Amino acid sequence: MSRARQPPLVTGISPNEGTPWTKVTIRGENLGSGPNDLFGSTHTKQFTHVALVESKISLLVTTSTNSLSICGHNCLLTAEWMSASKIVCRVGPAKDDKGEIIVTTKSGGRGTSTVSFKLLKAERIGILDQSAVWVDERNYYDMRTDRNKGISPLSLRPANPLGIDIDMAKIPLKDLESMFPGMSGDFTSENFSATWYLIENHSGTSFEQLRLAVGNLKKQASKKNEGSLAYVKGGLSTFFEAQDALAAIHQKLESDGTEKVEGSMTQQLERILNKASDTADTLFQEVLGRKDKADSTRNALNVLQRFKFLFNLPLNIERNIQKGDYDVVINDYEKAKSLFGNTEVPVFKKVYAEVETRIKALRNLLLDKLLETPSTLHDQKRYIRYLSDLHASGDPAWQCIVAQHKWILQLMQNCKEDFIKEQRVGGGGLESDGESRSSALSRISHTASLRRGSSFQTPRDDSWRSKSPQQVRFVEKLSDVVISQLPNFWKLWISYVNGSLFSETGEKSAQVEKLRKNARQRQNDFKGMIEEVTRRLVLLVRGALLPSTLYEEEQRRYGGWDTNTSLTGAWLTQIIHTVRLSHEALSALEIPNDLLQVIQDLLLDLRVHCLLVTLQHTAEDVKRLPEREDWIVDNEGITSLPAQFEHCMVQMLQSLKEPMECKPGEVNIFQLELAQDRACELCVGIMKEFITCLEQLSTKTDGDIDISHASVDLASPDVFGSFHEHFGPSPEQRFLIILSNCQYLERHTFLNLAEHLEKHGFTTAEKITRVSVEAVRQLDEHLFESYIEKKSDPIVGSLEPGIYAGYFDWKDCLPPTGVRNYLKEALVSIISVHSEVFTVSKELVPRILSKLIEAVSEEMSRLMQCVSSFSKNGGLQARLEILALKDAVEPYLTSESQVNFKQALEALPQLQSGADKKLLEELLNTFKSSMQFQLYCFQPSSVQPVKR
C-alpha cells in the first residue's frame, strides 16, 4: 500500500544529553498525524473494551518493531505525541552511550535523524534516597552477591566522605588509640574523632586539597538540606503525568462501566499494587522506622542547635556583664526579644523569663554605676545609652543630672568645711592639708588647672602656696571644684536636650523623641540647678571674704571663718583673678549670662572691696614711713621720704590695675558714686596721713629720732648738705628739711600722683590733688611761721638792748665813728640763719631771710618811731645804722621791709650839710669794707624772694 506522507525526520532534541529517564523534547518533520499513527505502527493483540489503554498496555506483550527509539532503547511507553513536529518522552536505560533518535509512523514508515543524543551515566542512588523514577537495583544486588553474606543498607555509605584522594598513613592503630582514648576514626561512630580520621586517611594531603574537601562537605550538607522540596521539584512533571494517566484511565473505566466488575484488569492491578506496597512496607519497615527515629532525633538536635543562642543566653549575659561587655549583652537581648519576646512555647518562655531576670539585674547595676560619683562624662553617656537601649523605666539621664547636681553642691560644701576644720586645727598651715581634706575632694583626679598670676604677685611655687592665707586657697580649691564639674554637667544636659545622649548616630526614634520632649519640659528645673550651683559658689566666697554682705542665717551657714586678720590687696587681687577665670570658663560653655550674673555681682563687690582694702592698707603703710626717714638731704634739699611716699602710692595704683580693669560685661567701679566717694575719701586720708607724719617728724625731740640712719652724703658735691653720722639733725634743721619736703610735695609729688590717679581711672584725681595741696600748704605755713618766730625773736629782741647799751641816748651822743656792735651782731645772727637754711635747701634761703628781715626792719622802724627827739649826732648815728642794715640785706628786701626802712628813716632828722652826708657815706663804706667777708653771703643772689 502506498504511503500518504514522507518518512519522519528528526531535526532536534532538547536536551541533547542526559541520564536515563531524562525527559526530552523531540522536534522534526512528519512525526505522525496523531497518537494512533505513532502507536499504530506496532502489531499487538487488541483489547476491544479499552482502546486507549490497549494501545499503552499492549506494548508490554508486543513483539513488533520500535516506533520510537533513542540510542536503541524503545521509548514508546513514555512517549506523548504533541504534533506532527513535536514528541515528548523519557530516555530509557540504553546500552549505547550515544545514538540516533528514530521515529516510525504508520503513515510514513521508519524515519531518519540528523541529530544524536548522548546518554550520561546515572549517579548511584542509595536505597534510602528519594527518587522520582524507578531505580535499577541490579548494581546493588551485584554488590550483595559479591559478598558471602548480606549487608545492612546503612553500610552502603560512601567510602570517601571528603571526596578527595585518600592517603593512608602507616600509623599503628595502638598509637592512635593512645592518642585519642575512647574515640574512633569511623565517621559513623558516636565517638567519631575528625582528627583521628584525618591523621589516618589524609596525613599527607595538601592544604589546598583539604580546602577542596571542605567545599565538598558544604555541598553535601546543602544538598541534604534541600530535602523533600528538591525531590518534589525534580519529579513534579512525573507526578503530573501519572495524575493525567490515572485520570484518563478512571474516566475510560467509568464510561465503559467496568470499574467494579469482579476480575477486571483494574482490580487485578490494584491487588498487585497493594501487595507490592505491603511487601515493600514489610521489607523496609525496620529500616524506615530507624530512619524516622534518627530523623526525629536529628530534628530535635537541630532545634537545640538552632536555638542554642537562647539556651546559652543567661550564662552568656552573666559572663559578659563580668567582663564589662555591655554592648554584647544589649545586642543579644535585642535579638532574643525580637525572636522570643512573644513566644508561646513553654520552654522558650521559661528561658526567656530567666533572660529578663538577668537584664533587670543589669539595669539596676548600670543605674548604680550611673549614679555613682565621681564619674567621667564618657561613662555617664555610656551608661545612659545602655539603659536607654535596655528600655529602663523612668528617665536615667535626668536621674544622673539630679545626682550630679547634688554631688557638686556637696563637694562645694565639703570644701568649705574642710578648710574651716583645718583653720581650727592647724591654724592655716599646709602640714595638715592632706589629712583634713575629705576623701570626696581627693577623688577628683581630673580637677581643672586654672591659670593664675599677675605681674604683681609672687610665683606660684610651694613656698608661695605654703604662705597663702586660708581664704585664698579655699577660693582656688572651690573654683577648681566648680570648673572641673560644671562643664561636664552642662555638656551632659546639652546632650540630653539634643538627643545625642541616646543615639550616637543621631537616628530619630519614638523613644528618643519622647526623651527629648521630657528634656525640653525640664529646662526650667535645670536652669534652677545651674542657678543654685553659681549661687552656692558666690555665697561660699562671700562667707569667706565678704561676710557683711550676707544675711545672718547665711552667715551661720556659709561663714565661720577667722576674721581677725584681713586679706591684703594683693591676695584679694589673686582671688579676683581666680573668680574671673571661673567666670570665663563657664561663659565659654555658652551658659546664659543671666545664670552667671551672680558671679558678676560678686566680682563687682570683690573689686570694690579690694580697692578700699588696698587704700586702707596703704594708709597703714604711709603711717610707718617716718620710721624710714634717714634725714639725708640731696642737692635739692629734700630727703628720700617724698620719693618713698610717691613710690608707695604708685605701687598701690599698680597693684589695683588688674582688679580695676573692666573685663567684658563688668562695670567700671569708679562710675559707682558710693565707691567713687569712698575711694576719694581714703585717698585724701592717705595724703593727709603723710602730711601728719611730716608734722610729727618736725616736732620730734632728739631722743625720739633714730639717728642710726643719719650719715654724711659723701657723694654729694655740697659737703655742707650733710652732717656727721653720729649726730641727728637739730630741731631747726628738721624744720627746714620738712619745709623743703613740703615744697617738693606741692610742686612735684602731688602733681605726679595726680597724673597716675587719672591714668588708673580715678575720676576724683583733681579733688584729691586740690585737697592734698591745701593740706600741705597749711603745714608749710605753720612750720614756716614757727621757724621764723623761733629765729627772729632772738634777733629782734637783741636790737633794743643793743641800741641803748651803755646808757646810750639819741639826744646826747658823740659824733658817729661807725656802726655799733649790736647791728653787727644782728647781721651775724642773720648770716647764721642764712648758713643754716642754705645748708639744707638753697630754695628756702630767699623766703626765710626775706621774712626774717621784715621782722628786723619792722622792729627798727618801731624803735626809731619811739624816740621822741634826736640830736644831730644821734640822728646821723641812727641813719648810718639803718642804711648799713638796709644795704647789707638789700637782695632780700621785700616791699614790706622797704616800707619799714622808709618809715624808720622818715622818723630821723634830715641831714643839714654836705659834711654830714660825706661823713655818712665814708662810714658806710668803712662798714662794708670791714664786713665784706661776712656780708658776702648776701651778694649777689640769683634766687628772688618768694612771695607767698
Side-chain angles (χ1 to χ4, degrees), residues 389-423:
D389 293 340
L390 291 174
H391 307 286
S393 59
D395 192 345
W398 182 250
Q399 291 178 273
C400 178
I401 290 175
V402 173
Q404 285 297 309
H405 174 245
K406 293 180 179 179
W407 163 251
I408 294 173
L409 294 179
Q410 188 60 44
L411 280 178
M412 297 169 69
Q413 194 66 27
N414 290 345
C415 181
K416 177 251 182 181
E417 293 174 357
D418 290 342
F419 273 93
I420 292 293
K421 181 179 179 182
E422 178 185 341
Q423 186 183 55

Short mmCIF file of all heavy atoms in Angstrom, two decimals, residues 389-423:
data_model
loop_
_atom_site.label_atom_id
_atom_site.label_comp_id
_atom_site.label_asym_id
_atom_site.label_seq_id
_atom_site.Cartn_x
_atom_site.Cartn_y
_atom_site.Cartn_z
N ASP A 389 18.91 51.72 75.71
CA ASP A 389 18.77 50.56 74.83
C ASP A 389 18.06 49.40 75.54
O ASP A 389 17.40 48.59 74.89
CB ASP A 389 20.14 50.10 74.35
CG ASP A 389 20.79 51.12 73.43
OD1 ASP A 389 20.05 51.97 72.88
OD2 ASP A 389 22.03 51.10 73.28
N LEU A 390 18.21 49.33 76.86
CA LEU A 390 17.56 48.28 77.63
C LEU A 390 16.14 48.66 78.04
O LEU A 390 15.49 47.90 78.76
CB LEU A 390 18.38 47.95 78.88
CG LEU A 390 19.73 47.27 78.63
CD1 LEU A 390 20.51 47.14 79.93
CD2 LEU A 390 19.53 45.89 78.00
N HIS A 391 15.68 49.85 77.59
CA HIS A 391 14.31 50.30 77.87
C HIS A 391 14.06 50.36 79.37
O HIS A 391 13.05 49.86 79.88
CB HIS A 391 13.28 49.40 77.19
CG HIS A 391 13.51 49.22 75.72
ND1 HIS A 391 13.23 50.20 74.79
CD2 HIS A 391 14.03 48.18 75.01
CE1 HIS A 391 13.54 49.77 73.58
NE2 HIS A 391 14.04 48.55 73.67
N ALA A 392 15.00 50.94 80.10
CA ALA A 392 14.85 51.06 81.54
C ALA A 392 13.69 52.01 81.86
O ALA A 392 13.41 52.96 81.13
CB ALA A 392 16.14 51.59 82.16
N SER A 393 13.04 51.74 82.96
CA SER A 393 11.90 52.57 83.37
C SER A 393 12.39 53.91 83.87
O SER A 393 13.54 54.06 84.32
CB SER A 393 11.11 51.85 84.47
OG SER A 393 11.94 51.59 85.59
N GLY A 394 11.53 54.91 83.81
CA GLY A 394 11.91 56.24 84.26
C GLY A 394 12.78 56.95 83.24
O GLY A 394 12.79 56.63 82.05
N ASP A 395 13.55 57.91 83.74
CA ASP A 395 14.44 58.70 82.88
C ASP A 395 15.83 58.69 83.50
O ASP A 395 16.18 59.54 84.32
CB ASP A 395 13.93 60.14 82.78
CG ASP A 395 14.63 60.92 81.68
OD1 ASP A 395 15.68 60.45 81.20
OD2 ASP A 395 14.13 62.00 81.29
N PRO A 396 16.67 57.71 83.13
CA PRO A 396 18.01 57.60 83.73
C PRO A 396 18.85 58.86 83.53
O PRO A 396 19.63 59.22 84.41
CB PRO A 396 18.62 56.39 83.02
CG PRO A 396 17.46 55.61 82.48
CD PRO A 396 16.41 56.62 82.16
N ALA A 397 18.72 59.51 82.38
CA ALA A 397 19.53 60.70 82.13
C ALA A 397 19.21 61.79 83.14
O ALA A 397 20.12 62.44 83.69
CB ALA A 397 19.29 61.20 80.70
N TRP A 398 17.95 62.02 83.40
CA TRP A 398 17.57 63.06 84.38
C TRP A 398 18.00 62.65 85.78
O TRP A 398 18.41 63.49 86.58
CB TRP A 398 16.08 63.29 84.32
CG TRP A 398 15.62 64.37 85.26
CD1 TRP A 398 14.88 64.22 86.38
CD2 TRP A 398 15.92 65.77 85.15
NE1 TRP A 398 14.69 65.44 86.98
CE2 TRP A 398 15.30 66.40 86.26
CE3 TRP A 398 16.63 66.53 84.24
CZ2 TRP A 398 15.39 67.76 86.46
CZ3 TRP A 398 16.72 67.89 84.45
CH2 TRP A 398 16.11 68.49 85.55
N GLN A 399 17.88 61.35 86.10
CA GLN A 399 18.35 60.89 87.41
C GLN A 399 19.84 61.17 87.57
O GLN A 399 20.29 61.57 88.64
CB GLN A 399 18.08 59.38 87.55
CG GLN A 399 16.61 59.03 87.68
CD GLN A 399 16.40 57.53 87.78
OE1 GLN A 399 16.29 56.83 86.78
NE2 GLN A 399 16.38 57.02 88.99
N CYS A 400 20.60 60.96 86.50
CA CYS A 400 22.04 61.24 86.55
C CYS A 400 22.29 62.73 86.75
O CYS A 400 23.17 63.13 87.53
CB CYS A 400 22.70 60.75 85.26
SG CYS A 400 24.47 61.08 85.17
N ILE A 401 21.53 63.58 86.06
CA ILE A 401 21.71 65.03 86.19
C ILE A 401 21.41 65.47 87.62
O ILE A 401 22.14 66.26 88.21
CB ILE A 401 20.81 65.75 85.18
CG1 ILE A 401 21.33 65.53 83.75
CG2 ILE A 401 20.73 67.24 85.48
CD1 ILE A 401 20.43 66.09 82.67
N VAL A 402 20.34 64.94 88.19
CA VAL A 402 19.99 65.29 89.57
C VAL A 402 21.08 64.84 90.54
O VAL A 402 21.49 65.58 91.45
CB VAL A 402 18.63 64.66 89.94
CG1 VAL A 402 18.34 64.86 91.43
CG2 VAL A 402 17.51 65.27 89.11
N ALA A 403 21.59 63.61 90.32
CA ALA A 403 22.65 63.10 91.20
C ALA A 403 23.92 63.93 91.08
O ALA A 403 24.58 64.23 92.09
CB ALA A 403 22.94 61.63 90.86
N GLN A 404 24.28 64.32 89.85
CA GLN A 404 25.48 65.14 89.66
C GLN A 404 25.31 66.51 90.31
O GLN A 404 26.26 67.06 90.88
CB GLN A 404 25.75 65.30 88.16
CG GLN A 404 26.34 64.06 87.50
CD GLN A 404 27.69 63.70 88.08
OE1 GLN A 404 28.58 64.53 88.17
NE2 GLN A 404 27.85 62.44 88.46
N HIS A 405 24.12 67.06 90.24
CA HIS A 405 23.86 68.36 90.87
C HIS A 405 24.06 68.28 92.38
O HIS A 405 24.74 69.13 92.98
CB HIS A 405 22.43 68.78 90.54
CG HIS A 405 22.00 70.03 91.24
ND1 HIS A 405 21.00 70.04 92.19
CD2 HIS A 405 22.46 71.30 91.15
CE1 HIS A 405 20.86 71.27 92.65
NE2 HIS A 405 21.72 72.06 92.04
N LYS A 406 23.51 67.25 92.99
CA LYS A 406 23.69 67.08 94.43
C LYS A 406 25.17 66.86 94.77
O LYS A 406 25.68 67.36 95.79
CB LYS A 406 22.85 65.91 94.93
CG LYS A 406 21.35 66.16 94.83
CD LYS A 406 20.58 64.95 95.34
CE LYS A 406 19.06 65.19 95.26
NZ LYS A 406 18.30 64.02 95.73
N TRP A 407 25.84 66.12 93.92
CA TRP A 407 27.27 65.82 94.15
C TRP A 407 28.11 67.09 94.11
O TRP A 407 28.98 67.31 94.95
CB TRP A 407 27.73 64.82 93.11
CG TRP A 407 29.21 64.69 92.92
CD1 TRP A 407 29.94 65.11 91.86
CD2 TRP A 407 30.15 64.09 93.82
NE1 TRP A 407 31.26 64.82 92.04
CE2 TRP A 407 31.43 64.19 93.23
CE3 TRP A 407 30.03 63.49 95.07
CZ2 TRP A 407 32.57 63.69 93.84
CZ3 TRP A 407 31.19 63.00 95.67
CH2 TRP A 407 32.41 63.10 95.06
N ILE A 408 27.84 67.95 93.14
CA ILE A 408 28.60 69.19 93.02
C ILE A 408 28.37 70.08 94.25
O ILE A 408 29.31 70.64 94.82
CB ILE A 408 28.22 69.93 91.73
CG1 ILE A 408 28.65 69.12 90.51
CG2 ILE A 408 28.86 71.32 91.68
CD1 ILE A 408 28.17 69.70 89.19
N LEU A 409 27.12 70.20 94.66
CA LEU A 409 26.82 71.01 95.84
C LEU A 409 27.50 70.45 97.09
O LEU A 409 28.03 71.20 97.92
CB LEU A 409 25.31 71.08 96.05
CG LEU A 409 24.49 71.83 94.97
CD1 LEU A 409 23.02 71.78 95.31
CD2 LEU A 409 24.96 73.28 94.85
N GLN A 410 27.50 69.13 97.22
CA GLN A 410 28.14 68.52 98.37
C GLN A 410 29.64 68.73 98.35
O GLN A 410 30.27 68.97 99.40
CB GLN A 410 27.82 67.01 98.39
CG GLN A 410 28.27 66.29 99.66
CD GLN A 410 27.60 66.86 100.90
OE1 GLN A 410 26.39 67.11 100.90
NE2 GLN A 410 28.37 67.07 101.96
N LEU A 411 30.25 68.64 97.16
CA LEU A 411 31.69 68.89 97.05
C LEU A 411 32.03 70.31 97.49
O LEU A 411 33.01 70.53 98.21
CB LEU A 411 32.14 68.69 95.60
CG LEU A 411 32.37 67.26 95.12
CD1 LEU A 411 32.78 67.27 93.66
CD2 LEU A 411 33.43 66.56 95.96
N MET A 412 31.21 71.27 97.08
CA MET A 412 31.47 72.66 97.44
C MET A 412 31.35 72.85 98.94
O MET A 412 32.18 73.54 99.57
CB MET A 412 30.50 73.57 96.68
CG MET A 412 30.66 73.52 95.16
SD MET A 412 29.33 74.32 94.26
CE MET A 412 29.62 76.03 94.69
N GLN A 413 30.33 72.26 99.54
CA GLN A 413 30.15 72.41 100.98
C GLN A 413 31.27 71.70 101.75
O GLN A 413 31.78 72.21 102.75
CB GLN A 413 28.78 71.83 101.39
CG GLN A 413 28.36 72.22 102.79
CD GLN A 413 28.09 73.72 102.93
OE1 GLN A 413 27.74 74.38 101.96
NE2 GLN A 413 28.28 74.25 104.13
N ASN A 414 31.67 70.51 101.26
CA ASN A 414 32.77 69.79 101.90
C ASN A 414 34.07 70.59 101.83
O ASN A 414 34.88 70.57 102.76
CB ASN A 414 32.96 68.43 101.23
CG ASN A 414 31.83 67.47 101.53
OD1 ASN A 414 31.05 67.71 102.45
ND2 ASN A 414 31.74 66.39 100.78
N CYS A 415 34.27 71.26 100.72
CA CYS A 415 35.47 72.07 100.56
C CYS A 415 35.53 73.14 101.64
O CYS A 415 36.57 73.34 102.29
CB CYS A 415 35.48 72.70 99.17
SG CYS A 415 36.92 73.72 98.83
N LYS A 416 34.42 73.81 101.86
CA LYS A 416 34.38 74.85 102.89
C LYS A 416 34.58 74.26 104.29
O LYS A 416 35.38 74.77 105.09
CB LYS A 416 33.04 75.59 102.79
CG LYS A 416 32.83 76.66 103.86
CD LYS A 416 31.78 76.22 104.86
CE LYS A 416 31.53 77.31 105.90
NZ LYS A 416 30.54 76.90 106.89
N GLU A 417 33.90 73.16 104.59
CA GLU A 417 34.01 72.56 105.92
C GLU A 417 35.42 72.06 106.19
O GLU A 417 35.92 72.17 107.32
CB GLU A 417 33.00 71.42 106.05
CG GLU A 417 31.55 71.90 106.02
CD GLU A 417 30.57 70.75 106.01
OE1 GLU A 417 31.02 69.59 105.97
OE2 GLU A 417 29.34 71.01 106.05
N ASP A 418 36.09 71.52 105.17
CA ASP A 418 37.45 71.02 105.36
C ASP A 418 38.41 72.16 105.68
O ASP A 418 39.27 72.03 106.56
CB ASP A 418 37.92 70.28 104.11
CG ASP A 418 37.19 68.97 103.91
OD1 ASP A 418 36.60 68.49 104.89
OD2 ASP A 418 37.20 68.43 102.78
N PHE A 419 38.26 73.29 105.00
CA PHE A 419 39.15 74.42 105.27
C PHE A 419 38.85 75.04 106.63
O PHE A 419 39.77 75.49 107.33
CB PHE A 419 39.03 75.46 104.16
CG PHE A 419 39.93 75.20 102.99
CD1 PHE A 419 39.48 74.48 101.90
CD2 PHE A 419 41.24 75.65 102.99
CE1 PHE A 419 40.31 74.23 100.83
CE2 PHE A 419 42.07 75.41 101.92
CZ PHE A 419 41.61 74.70 100.83
N ILE A 420 37.59 75.08 107.01
CA ILE A 420 37.24 75.59 108.35
C ILE A 420 37.86 74.70 109.42
O ILE A 420 38.45 75.18 110.40
CB ILE A 420 35.72 75.68 108.51
CG1 ILE A 420 35.14 76.76 107.59
CG2 ILE A 420 35.35 75.95 109.95
CD1 ILE A 420 35.53 78.16 107.96
N LYS A 421 37.75 73.39 109.20
CA LYS A 421 38.32 72.45 110.17
C LYS A 421 39.84 72.59 110.23
O LYS A 421 40.44 72.58 111.31
CB LYS A 421 37.93 71.03 109.78
CG LYS A 421 38.45 69.96 110.72
CD LYS A 421 38.01 68.58 110.27
CE LYS A 421 38.56 67.51 111.20
NZ LYS A 421 38.17 66.14 110.73
N GLU A 422 40.46 72.73 109.08
CA GLU A 422 41.91 72.91 109.04
C GLU A 422 42.32 74.20 109.73
O GLU A 422 43.34 74.24 110.43
CB GLU A 422 42.36 72.93 107.57
CG GLU A 422 43.85 73.16 107.39
CD GLU A 422 44.23 73.29 105.94
OE1 GLU A 422 43.43 72.85 105.08
OE2 GLU A 422 45.31 73.85 105.66
N GLN A 423 41.51 75.23 109.55
CA GLN A 423 41.83 76.51 110.19
C GLN A 423 41.78 76.38 111.71
O GLN A 423 42.62 76.95 112.41
CB GLN A 423 40.83 77.57 109.70
CG GLN A 423 41.12 78.97 110.18
CD GLN A 423 40.06 79.95 109.73
OE1 GLN A 423 38.88 79.75 109.97
NE2 GLN A 423 40.48 81.00 109.04
#
